[in-house]
Amino acid sequence: QVQGDDYRRVYEEYLGKDASKKANAKKTYNKTEIRKENIKISDTDLKWKLFHYCKDNGLQSIGAQQYAKVGSVYDYELGSTAEAIRNNLRTQYPEIKLVVWESSILNEWLNLLIAKNTIFIETPKDFLDTIYDALTESDENTMVLVNPKTEEYFRYQKNDLIVLRTMVDRAPISKNNHLTIEKLFVDLLCDKLLIELFDSYTVQELIQDAAASYAVNEKKLLAYARRRGRYNEILAYWRKI
């Protein structure tokens, strides 16, 4: 049995020093990999040692029995127009699930900054009409595109254009009605409209840079990819990062 300081050597080798160097490439470690060195350790001992080691060294579970050094939880600030919309919708319909984000949040990682911002609002299909009415009731001239096709979007594109879309069932969103980084990644890779807005090289660079700075829950990311019907594609893509 491995005891005392030998445990620290094991975990520093397989979860600490190497993880801190390779976490940005999404190298992860699990019990099978640790045991490749034929180190004898019981499941119970491993469970508790992993728990305490992760707690002491800033490691986080990012999937089933997978651990890596990761950064902070991603969040963003909305512009004044989008923030006002979000606050109004939350006040009127606190029980309706919705997410508000805008294309300008991607400027954090883009070399060519977005000039014409788009405000995206997503909600379950049954509430599209309700949210649409709330967005237009104060000003009938407010332009809101509902699930627009690519051609329609580019025809009416202007700064702070509002795009109302159907939310994918059980999409991962935060408590403040912001999207999570897992949802952002998957949507950038498979959403028809977003694919038209950003070329594949730009998206790849963006995801790599974002994943280097923020914590990504692999289990959550792949669960959402499955709900979008793109599990195998996203899994293969993620493994290459």
Side-chain angles (χ1 to χ4, degrees):
Q1 293 286 332
V2 180
Q3 299 181 3
D5 290 339
D6 287 337
Y7 274 117
R8 180 160 294 279
R9 176 183 61 78
V10 171
Y11 296 110
E12 284 182 349
E13 180 177 0
Y14 287 95
L15 293 171
K17 296 177 181 178
D18 200 41
S20 65
K21 294 178 181 178
K22 296 185 178 181
N24 292 347
K26 284 295 156 292
K27 175 63 178 177
T28 60
Y29 304 85
N30 55 45
K31 291 194 294 186
T32 300
E33 290 174 313
I34 291 175
R35 288 201 173 106
K36 284 183 179 179
E37 296 297 314
N38 296 316
I39 297 172
K40 296 180 180 179
I41 178 172
S42 70
D43 285 342
T44 301
D45 285 342
L46 179 56
K47 177 181 178 180
W48 283 106
K49 289 297 180 179
L50 279 172
F51 172 79
H52 288 293
Y53 189 85
C54 290
K55 181 179 179 181
D56 293 341
N57 293 275
L59 293 171
Q60 178 174 315
S61 172
I62 58 173
Q65 299 180 354
Q66 295 179 319
Y67 307 84
K69 278 192 175 295
V70 291
S72 59
V73 176
Y74 175 67
D75 200 4
Y76 51 88
E77 293 186 4
L78 293 168
S80 58
T81 300
E83 180 70 9
I85 290 173
R86 183 191 71 111
N87 291 341
N88 181 50
L89 292 176
R90 291 185 71 180
T91 300
Q92 290 191 64
Y93 305 105
E95 302 303 320
I96 293 181
K97 185 175 182 181
L98 58 88
V99 60
V100 180
W101 67 285
E102 49 191 344
S103 57
S104 61
I105 68 172
L106 303 180
N107 284 338
E108 179 177 351
W109 305 290
L110 298 176
N111 292 321
L112 183 61
L113 302 184
I114 295 171
K116 294 181 180 180
N117 182 49
T118 300
I119 299 171
F120 292 96
I121 302 171
E122 298 178 33
T123 195
K125 182 179 180 181
D126 291 344
F127 300 109
L128 284 175
D129 290 342
T130 300
I131 298 301
Y132 178 86
D133 290 342
L135 292 170
T136 58
E137 65 181 0
S138 60
D139 184 358
E140 294 182 354
N141 295 320
T142 298
M143 179 173 289
V144 179
L145 301 184
V146 181
N147 290 323
K149 294 186 180 298
T150 303
E151 297 79 7
E152 183 183 8
Y153 170 82
F154 284 110
R155 183 183 307 125
Y156 295 105
Q157 187 182 28
K158 64 176 183 176
N159 192 45
D160 284 345
L161 172 67
I162 300 173
V163 174
L164 178 60
R165 313 182 76 190
T166 302
M167 181 185 293
V168 175
D169 183 43
R170 291 180 291 165
I173 64 175
S174 67
K175 293 181 180 180
N176 59 352
N177 302 107
H178 288 185
L179 54 70
T180 63
I181 200 165
E182 295 83 9
K183 174 171 165 49
L184 176 62
F185 285 0
V186 174
D187 287 347
L188 285 172
L189 290 169
C190 66
D191 184 271
K192 292 181 179 179
L193 178 57
L194 297 182
I195 288 174
E196 293 297 326
L197 297 182
F198 308 101
D199 63 80
S200 59
Y201 177 79
T202 297
V203 169
Q204 180 178 335
E205 291 289 301
L206 186 157
I207 291 177
Q208 288 178 341
D209 289 345
S213 302
Y214 298 103
V216 180
N217 186 313
E218 183 178 280
K219 183 177 181 180
K220 185 185 295 184
L221 179 139
L222 294 177
Y224 181 56
R226 187 184 298 279
R227 289 193 288 275
R228 295 215 60 158
R230 305 292 285 275
Y231 176 85
N232 291 332
E233 178 183 337
I234 299 300
L235 175 61
Y237 182 95
W238 187 246
R239 290 289 185 252
K240 294 179 181 178
I241 294 180

